[in-house]
Amino acid sequence: MTCDASTAPAPAPSPAPAWRPAGPTRRSWRTLRVGSAAGVLAVVTVAVLVVPPLVQLDQQSVHLGSKLLPPGPAHPFGTDDLGRDLLLRCVHGLRVSLFVGVAAALVAAVVGTAVGTLAATLGGRADRVLMRAVDAVASVPHLLLGVFVVALWRPGVLPVLVSVAATHWISTARIVRAEVLSLRSRPYVDAAISGGASRWRVAVRHLVPGVLPQAGLAAVLSVPHAMWHESALSFLGLGLPTHMASLGNLIEDARGSLLAGQWWPTLFPGLFLVIPTLAVAGLAGAWRERINPRRRSELTL
């Protein structure tokens, strides 16, 4: 017995996709991550703001009788190859690195926001010229460009700050330009243009406020990168003066000690560089999820 195609039973519909909401474990992990990052940054902020003014550090002091002492009650992080307390020098070095990182990130965010907004607002030939200039700067390795900028001045905080800021505005400019191009297609921008608002008024009243969260996130993400850039320049002997407490200088000074078996002069400055970096990255990730919220549930196929 044959069955006609018109009378054949219809295939059963495929089951609808099931949504699996994010459970309390994921929310608890996110809360723990953000809380831990905020706690670490709070401790770091208090340390770099309170300890240096209370305990002045003599950058030129030498105590050869206490040379390379291991961690102990008198010196929790031990001493370096000149007998100086490593904990105090790490705190002062973190203060310098944080200052350079935050200041350079702010300068880079302002420059990148201005360039990205200007390129997307003007459009046409101006946009192409500005973005080709961004591509030209991006084609040069950051470290090489930073070395070139630092070489124009004597070692110091200001040359390092200028060097780091000059190499970290590119990504902000690209992010801001893409966001402004997206905002230009929004209905309220079309309504403002139809109402007779000039291009600059639209940019100031609608486009710039709309890109500030993305620009702020780019600035926060630039802080760890700027700290590592400053440490790399100091490690190479091209950043801060060698006698100044800086995380890059501390790691560079500890190379010989590490080969001799003294691990603490290298470990603790490295931790002071890595842990704040991870804390800033954790808070920046939470900020990214807030301004670009992902779906709270996962699609199970």
Side-chain angles (χ1 to χ4, degrees):
M1 180 178 179
T2 62
C3 180
D4 187 77
S6 61
T7 61
S14 58
W19 292 90
R20 177 166 55 85
T25 302
R26 184 177 178 182
R27 289 193 295 268
S28 300
W29 168 248
R30 185 185 300 113
T31 303
L32 178 62
R33 183 188 65 185
V34 174
S36 301
V40 169
L41 287 182
V43 172
V44 168
T45 302
V46 171
V48 299
L49 291 180
V50 174
V51 173
L54 294 180
V55 184
Q56 297 296 328
L57 179 64
D58 185 4
Q59 304 282 1
Q60 305 287 354
S61 63
V62 175
H63 306 282
L64 296 180
S66 304
K67 177 181 178 181
L68 291 175
L69 293 179
H75 303 283
F77 285 5
T79 59
D80 62 4
D81 57 349
L82 295 179
R84 297 168 294 190
D85 185 77
L86 200 56
L87 174 58
L88 188 58
R89 288 184 62 80
C90 285
V91 173
H92 279 77
L94 180 59
R95 187 188 192 190
V96 173
S97 297
L98 273 178
F99 171 76
V100 173
V102 173
L106 290 177
V107 174
V110 172
V111 174
T113 301
V115 173
T117 303
L118 191 64
T121 302
L122 295 178
R125 182 176 298 176
D127 183 19
R128 292 192 295 270
V129 171
L130 288 174
M131 296 316 296
R132 294 299 77 76
V134 171
D135 294 338
V137 177
S139 64
V140 182
H142 285 183
L143 189 57
L144 181 60
L145 183 59
V147 169
F148 173 77
V149 174
V150 170
L152 299 177
W153 290 281
R154 293 182 178 180
V157 175
L158 183 59
V160 175
L161 196 155
V162 173
S163 169
V164 176
T167 56
H168 288 72
W169 61 272
I170 303 168
S171 58
T172 304
R174 288 172 171 170
I175 292 173
V176 169
R177 175 181 177 272
E179 188 68 16
V180 170
L181 291 177
S182 175
L183 292 176
R184 283 176 54 180
S185 62
R186 303 293 175 85
Y188 64 87
V189 174
D190 293 338
I193 295 175
S194 301
S198 65
R199 178 179 299 178
W200 295 111
R201 183 175 179 84
V202 171
V204 172
R205 294 291 300 273
H206 300 289
L207 299 181
V208 172
V211 301
L212 285 182
Q214 296 288 349
L217 177 60
V220 172
L221 289 174
S222 297
V223 172
H225 194 187
M227 291 176 59
W228 282 87
H229 196 147
E230 178 273 327
S231 298
L233 290 175
S234 298
F235 180 82
L236 295 174
L238 301 171
L240 302 178
T242 55
H243 69 274
M244 182 177 293
S246 166
L247 295 180
N249 286 338
L250 293 178
I251 296 174
E252 196 277 333
D253 292 340
R255 288 188 301 168
S257 303
L258 182 63
L259 295 177
Q262 288 85 17
W263 48 268
W264 54 93
T266 304
L267 175 63
F268 292 114
L271 290 179
F272 268 67
L273 183 61
V274 171
I275 293 178
T277 298
L278 295 178
V280 172
L283 288 183
W287 189 356
R288 184 191 298 113
E289 292 179 4
R290 181 169 293 274
I291 65 176
N292 295 317
R294 293 179 292 183
R295 293 177 298 184
R296 295 300 181 184
S297 54
E298 299 173 355
L299 180 61
T300 304
L301 300 178

